[in-house]
Amino acid sequence: MIFKRFFIGLLWRIVLIIILSTALAYCLVQIYLANTDAIYWLIAVLLFGVIFYRGVNLFYYTNATNRKLTRFFDSIQYDDFSIKFSSDNTFGKSFQGLNKQFNKVLEAFRKIRAENEASLHLVNTIIQNVQTGLLLYDQYGRIELSNSAACKLLGFYRLKNITELKANHLELADKLMVTEEKHFLYQGLNGIQLSVNIVAIRLGGQIKNLVSLQNIQSEMQQKEVEAWQNLTRVLRHEIMNSLTPILSLIGTMKHIVDTELPATANDNGAKGDLQEALQTLETRGIGMINFVDGYRSFTSIPAPSFAEVNMEPLILQIMNLLQPEMVVANIFLTVENKAVDQLIQADAEQLSMVLINLVKNAKEALEHTVNGTIDIKSFAQNQFLFIEITDNGPGIEPEALEDIFIPFFTTKENGSGIGLSLSRQIVQQHGGTIKVFSKPGKGSRFVVQLKIKVVPNTTANAYV
C-alpha cells in the first residue's frame, strides 16, 4: 500500500480537499464572470459533491480512535472479549501499540472471567456435594440458593420460598422467618434431628440469611448408646460387687446350718425352713448375677470385622434358616431383592444377627395375627443399600415407638429390652442407621440403611 502511515493518509486527504476547494472556487469565479456557461455549473456541482464526500471520509478517518475506544468499552460492558483489534495496524507504530494494549486488556479480562467461572463452578460443586444442607434467602423469604442436601433433609425437590416449608415443617419455617435465635435444634416429622445455624450476611446492600442444616441424628444416637453403655456398665459393676459377698455369706450360712446346727425334735421344722430360705436366696442371687452378666454383650460388643459382603446371598441364607420356624408358626415369609450384586463393607456375622433379630421380633409380633406375613425387601438408592423388614401385625403404639431402641425397654412379658438396642449399635458401627415406622393396627416396618461400596469404573477411566 502507498499510505502506510496515519499522518500521510491524513495529509493527502487534506491536500486533496484543498485542491478540490480551489477548483471549486475557480469554477464559482468563472460562473460569476460568465454565468451563462453551463459547463462550469456542472463542474462546480461535481466538485462540491466530491469535497463533501472527502470531508465525510476525513471525519471518519480522524475518528477511528474514538470508534475503537467505543468498541473497546462496549466489549467490556457486555462481557464480549472475543474482539481483536488489528485492522488498522498498517497506520503506524502508534496504532499497533494501541491495538496491542487493547488486546492485552481484553485477554486479561478473558482470563479473569474464565477464573471466576471456574471458581464459581468449583464452589457450586462443593455446595451441591457437601452433606450439610445450605439455604440462602432474603428478608422476603425468597430462596436464592439451596443445595441438594437441604432439599433431601427437608423432603423437597426444589424450594423457591421459605413459606413452602410450612407444608411439612411449620415450626421450622416460622423460626427461620421471625426468630432471633441463631442456633437451635429441630426435630422433623420423620424423626430426623437437625442442628440449624443462621448467619446474617450483607450482599449488594441487602441483608440475607444463610442457614446451615446438619443432620445430627446419628451422632445423637451414638451419644445415647454410649450413655446407656456407661450407665449399664456402672450398674452391672455395683450390682455384681454387692451380690458376690451376699452369695458368699449365704453359702457360709448354708454350711453352718447343714453341719453345725443340729436338728431337734421340738424345732418345728425351723432348720428345714431356714435351709429352704437360704437355698431360695442363693438361687435368686445366682439368677440375678446371670441376668446382669447377660448385659455384658450390650456394653462390650466386639468391633466389626469388615469385609466385602454381598447382601443377596446373606438374606437368602437367613430366610432359609428361619423358614422352618415360620412354617411352624403359620407365617408367610417373602424376600424381594432389588439390590443384586451390591457390595458393602460389613461384618457378615453381626449383620446376620441384626436381621435375624428383626425377623424374630416380627414373628413374635404376629403371634395372634391370622395370615401373618413378613416381607424382606432390599434395594439400592443414592449409593445406599436399604433392607426393609415389614410385618402385618398389630403395630406399635406411638408412646412405645419413641422408646423402642432404648436399652432395657420392652413390651414383651419375657423380653430383656436389649435386642433392638444391640441391633442399632451394630448398625451404627457399620456407618448406617436403623429406623422403625409403625401405626397401631397397620403393622411395622424396620429399615436398615447401609453404605454401598463404590467400585471404581476402570473401563470409563481408560478413555479419560
Side-chain angles (χ1 to χ4, degrees), residues 251-263 271 275:
T252 302
M253 292 177 65
K254 283 181 63 180
H255 178 73
I256 292 174
V257 171
D258 293 339
T259 60
E260 300 181 12
L261 186 63
K271 180 179 178 179
Q275 289 176 324

Side-chain angles (χ1 to χ4, degrees), residues 407-445:
F408 319 126
F409 177 84
T410 181
T411 57
K412 305 174 187 176
E413 294 182 0
N414 300 318
S416 63
I418 290 297
L420 287 177
S421 302
L422 192 61
S423 297
R424 186 172 71 171
Q425 185 180 352
I426 292 174
V427 172
Q428 285 179 345
Q429 288 185 342
H430 282 73
T433 60
I434 179 171
K435 298 179 181 179
V436 58
F437 304 90
S438 181
K439 290 183 179 181
K442 295 186 178 181
S444 303
R445 177 167 58 97

Side-chain angles (χ1 to χ4, degrees), residues 245-255 277-279 281-282 285:
I246 291 175
L247 286 174
S248 179
L249 288 175
I250 292 174
T252 302
M253 292 177 65
K254 283 181 63 180
H255 178 73
L278 291 174
Q279 181 62 42
L281 288 174
E282 185 179 39

Side-chain angles (χ1 to χ4, degrees), residues 282-302:
E282 185 179 39
T283 302
R284 294 303 303 161
I286 294 173
M288 180 64 73
I289 287 180
N290 293 334
F291 175 78
V292 174
D293 197 52
Y295 289 107
R296 181 181 297 175
S297 60
F298 177 71
T299 59
S300 59
I301 180 174

Side-chain angles (χ1 to χ4, degrees), residues 74 137 159-160 173 203 221 239 254 405-406 431:
D74 283 344
Y137 62 96
L159 285 171
K160 294 182 178 180
L203 292 175
Q221 289 178 350
I239 293 174
K254 283 181 63 180
F405 291 107
I406 294 178

Side-chain angles (χ1 to χ4, degrees), residues 79-95:
D79 292 335
D80 181 14
F81 305 126
S82 61
I83 298 176
K84 290 286 186 180
F85 293 93
S86 60
S87 60
D88 51 4
N89 282 341
T90 57
F91 288 168
K93 292 184 178 180
S94 61
F95 282 84

Side-chain angles (χ1 to χ4, degrees), residues 59-60 62-73 98:
F59 174 80
Y60 278 100
T62 56
N63 279 278
T65 302
N66 292 337
R67 294 195 303 274
K68 187 192 300 290
L69 287 171
T70 301
R71 290 175 58 204
F72 175 74
F73 290 122
L98 182 61

